[in-house]
Structure formats: C-alpha cells, structure tokens
Amino acid sequence: MSSHDPMLSGIITTTLEMAFTSSIIALALGVIVGLLVASNDFAGKKIVVMILRTLMGLPPVVVGIVVFILFSGTGPFGKLGLIYSVELMIIAQIVLITPIVAGMTETSMTPIVDRMRPTVKGLRLNPVKTFALTVTEGKYQLIAVYLFAFARAISEVGAIQIVGGNILYKTRTMTTAIALNYNTGDFSMAVALGIILLLMALGVNLIAALLQMRLKKRYD
C-alpha cells in the first residue's frame, strides 16, 4: 500500500461525508420552501420567486466569507468552535445549495401543483396529505433536483476552502486537493483526482437512474 492510500481514502471520505450530508439537508429544506411557494398564491409571490432565483446564483466565495465571519473567533457563533471543520463546510454548502434546490423545486413542481389542484380540492386533502401526494407525483423531478444538488456539493471548492482551510486528514476534499495539486504543479495527481471525482458522480447518477426505474415499475 503506497503512502498516498491513507491520504486518498481520507480525502474521499471527507468529500462524500460533506457532499451527501449537505445535499440531503439542502434537499429537505429546499423542497419544503419550493413546494410552499409553488402550492400557494399570496401577495408578493413573484417577488419571492425572483429572490429565490437570484439566490440560486450566490457566489460560493461570498458564502464562504460570510460563514467564516459568522463562525470565526470574533463572530456571533464563534463559541461553537466550528471553524476549519467538516461541520462548517457542510453548513456553508447548505447555505449555498438550499436556494438552488428551492428554486428548481418551485420551477419544476408548479405545473404538477396546478394540475393537482382540482383533485386536492375534490378530496379535501389536508396540507400533510397534499404535500405527500405532491412529492409522489413529482418524484422524478425531485430525484433530478437532488442529483443537481449533489453535483453542486461534490464539485464545490471556493466556499469550503475558506471555511475548512483545506487541512490534510481533516477538511481536505477532492476539489480542494485538485486545486492544491494544480497550484503545486502536480498535474498528474490533479488529473487522477479529477477522474475519481467524475467516477463518484457517475456512481451516484447510476444509483439515481436505478431508483427512477424502480419507481416507474412500481407506480406505472
């Protein structure tokens, strides 16, 4: 076993922990917000939609700086001691990805919500049952939303490098390792890490494709 093996396994583990945790939490939060906006007509809805779509373009470096300031020693959450940790990287990712999930959910689920209105009204479904039915009807769209969220999480470098510090065996991820190896001139390692990163993303997409096929057989 080469000396690079423990380092590589640590980088992969940190990357997967950060990407899966942040994308799943962002999905849960973003889907709730997106469906609430899509399912309800209220004053200022167009403004809310516009804000969501604006936040989808949040610059990662700006998010990283803001989160760093909030959790630094002099920040309001400094006492939590999360600076340069995987937990803070996850928080930064959630801040970055949740608006994307919410915006994509609102856009993709609005036609489904509009199509369901007569059924929901006729059956007099309560909000919980309406939410469950909407998620069931939009399962394929939500899987696609999650895939985008995961891809965004696993490919992020700016925000997590700022709040995580790119510390070996602690907060170094695939993307920050690629950037480091590129900056130090180790292009072969950077390319190798890039290939591994692509294979990881491919694996998640294959799992999602199998899940979509299974759901299609079950519901169709």
Side-chain angles (χ1 to χ4, degrees), residues 59-72 76-77 95 162-163:
V61 174
V62 173
V63 172
I65 292 173
V66 171
V67 172
F68 182 90
I69 292 172
L70 291 174
F71 286 86
S72 65
F77 305 110
V95 173
I162 292 173
V163 302

Side-chain angles (χ1 to χ4, degrees), residues 66-99:
V66 171
V67 172
F68 182 90
I69 292 172
L70 291 174
F71 286 86
S72 65
T74 56
F77 305 110
K79 292 183 179 180
L80 296 176
L82 295 179
I83 203 69
Y84 298 139
S85 67
V86 175
E87 290 78 10
L88 192 57
M89 291 161 61
I90 291 171
I91 291 172
Q93 290 281 55
I94 292 171
V95 173
L96 187 63
I97 301 169
T98 298

Side-chain angles (χ1 to χ4, degrees), residues 54-55 76 82 139 141-142 154:
T54 301
L55 293 176
L82 295 179
K139 53 188 176 293
Q141 288 82 352
L142 293 179
I154 203 170

Side-chain angles (χ1 to χ4, degrees), residues 18-30 94 146 149-150:
M18 179 205 64
F20 277 119
T21 305
S22 61
S23 59
I24 289 172
I25 295 174
L27 181 74
L29 297 175
I94 292 171
Y146 176 72
F150 178 80

Side-chain angles (χ1 to χ4, degrees), residues 3-215:
S3 60
H4 286 296
D5 289 340
M7 179 183 69
L8 183 59
S9 62
I11 290 172
I12 292 175
T13 300
T14 301
T15 301
L16 292 176
E17 178 187 355
M18 179 205 64
F20 277 119
T21 305
S22 61
S23 59
I24 289 172
I25 295 174
L27 181 74
L29 297 175
V31 166
I32 292 172
V33 173
L35 285 180
L36 284 175
V37 175
S39 303
N40 296 281
D41 293 321
F42 52 88
K45 180 175 180 176
K46 291 184 178 179
I47 296 176
V48 172
V49 171
M50 183 178 66
I51 292 172
L52 279 180
R53 292 178 181 172
T54 301
L55 293 176
M56 290 173 71
L58 275 174
V61 174
V62 173
V63 172
I65 292 173
V66 171
V67 172
F68 182 90
I69 292 172
L70 291 174
F71 286 86
S72 65
T74 56
F77 305 110
K79 292 183 179 180
L80 296 176
L82 295 179
I83 203 69
Y84 298 139
S85 67
V86 175
E87 290 78 10
L88 192 57
M89 291 161 61
I90 291 171
I91 291 172
Q93 290 281 55
I94 292 171
V95 173
L96 187 63
I97 301 169
T98 298
I100 298 175
V101 172
M104 291 184 67
T105 300
E106 186 276 328
T107 300
S108 62
M109 298 297 285
T110 293
I112 295 174
V113 169
D114 291 340
R115 190 168 64 246
M116 287 174 46
R117 287 187 192 278
T119 302
V120 171
K121 187 176 181 181
L123 296 176
R124 297 181 180 179
L125 299 179
N126 60 40
V128 175
K129 291 183 178 179
T130 300
F131 180 85
L133 180 61
T134 305
V135 170
T136 300
E137 290 296 316
K139 53 188 176 293
Y140 299 121
Q141 288 82 352
L142 293 179
I143 290 174
V145 170
Y146 176 72
L147 286 176
F148 190 89
F150 178 80
R152 191 70 178 82
I154 203 170
S155 62
E156 171 55 32
V157 59
I160 61 173
Q161 183 151 326
I162 292 173
V163 302
N166 196 20
I167 303 170
L168 185 60
Y169 300 117
K170 185 179 180 182
T171 60
R172 184 165 298 175
T173 65
M174 300 293 289
T175 52
T176 58
I178 290 170
L180 177 65
N181 282 283
Y182 169 79
N183 290 332
T184 56
D186 193 349
F187 301 114
S188 60
M189 178 60 73
V191 172
L193 290 171
I195 293 173
I196 295 172
L197 187 62
L198 286 174
L199 291 174
M200 290 164 60
L202 176 61
V204 173
N205 274 275
L206 288 175
I207 293 172
L210 292 173
L211 177 61
Q212 285 181 321
M213 290 173 60
R214 188 167 184 177
L215 288 172

